[in-house]
Amino acid sequence: MWIHICAVGRLRQSAEKSLFDNYRIRFDKLGRNLALGPLQLHEVKDRKHGSQSAEAALLSHVIPANSFICSLDERGKIISSPEFAAQLAKWRDDGQNDVSFLIGGANGLHANLRASANFSLSFGKMVWPHMMVRLMLSEQLYRAASILSGNPYHRS
């Protein structure tokens, strides 16, 4: 099952990009044996002072056809890391070929994109910068693969 992160804005050379790349590589290696991955990042231009609808249109163009859509939103479901791993495995086992995680810009995702999501996930009630959300999601994807493979990375 291919994993896509479709996000507004670009990760430039930074500590966040370095960590994101590290977790993506780790996920790809571990996920391969679990039929998870590879992880692809699709970035669209962050429109300063742009509208959510303009960002939504750009995001819509990078979501693979027939992809299962998971929005990352503060109003989404809060789940544990083992529950996230189980959810990924369920999507895979249900025959999903592509899962796309959507991350909005500074103003979040447009209501139409949120409404079109098959699942909505939250990293808590706090609002996180969208660049940090990418990093946190990449780490959680690697952690999920670790849990599913019995790797000791996750300690509960």
Side-chain angles (χ1 to χ4, degrees):
M1 178 175 76
W2 289 61
I3 306 292
H4 307 270
I5 297 177
C6 304
V8 173
R10 303 205 187 276
L11 272 177
R12 292 169 177 50
Q13 292 303 324
S14 64
E16 293 92 348
K17 181 172 183 348
S18 178
L19 285 169
F20 175 85
D21 289 341
N22 181 296
Y23 284 117
R24 177 172 46 183
I25 290 166
R26 292 165 78 178
F27 171 77
D28 285 348
K29 285 180 184 174
L30 195 55
R32 190 176 303 129
N33 293 329
L34 302 167
L36 294 174
L39 170 58
Q40 294 188 328
L41 177 63
H42 308 275
E43 298 176 310
V44 300
K45 187 170 181 153
D46 184 2
R47 301 209 182 259
K48 301 290 184 209
H49 310 295
S51 68
Q52 281 182 320
S53 59
E55 291 176 348
L58 291 172
L59 273 177
S60 295
H61 286 88
V62 298
I63 299 169
N66 302 316
S67 185
F68 184 92
I69 297 173
C70 178
S71 64
L72 274 85
D73 185 78
E74 65 196 38
R75 294 163 283 237
K77 190 172 183 180
I78 298 172
I79 59 178
S80 68
S81 294
E83 289 170 326
F84 181 62
Q87 189 66 66
L88 272 180
K90 180 182 182 321
W91 294 335
R92 178 200 60 205
D93 297 345
D94 286 348
Q96 296 298 329
N97 291 323
D98 293 275
V99 172
S100 295
F101 292 92
L102 306 186
I103 302 171
N107 295 316
L109 288 169
H110 189 276
N112 290 348
L113 271 181
R114 285 196 321 268
S116 71
N118 304 99
F119 190 84
S120 186
L121 179 65
S122 174
F123 284 151
K125 295 186 181 211
M126 293 181 178
V127 177
W128 295 96
H130 56 104
M131 297 299 180
M132 290 292 294
V133 171
R134 274 175 235 217
L135 171 57
M136 293 166 28
L137 178 57
S138 66
E139 191 280 337
Q140 283 299 303
L141 287 165
Y142 171 65
R143 184 176 296 273
S146 297
I147 291 167
L148 294 171
S149 69
N151 185 300
Y153 176 76
H154 176 74
R155 293 170 183 84
S156 53

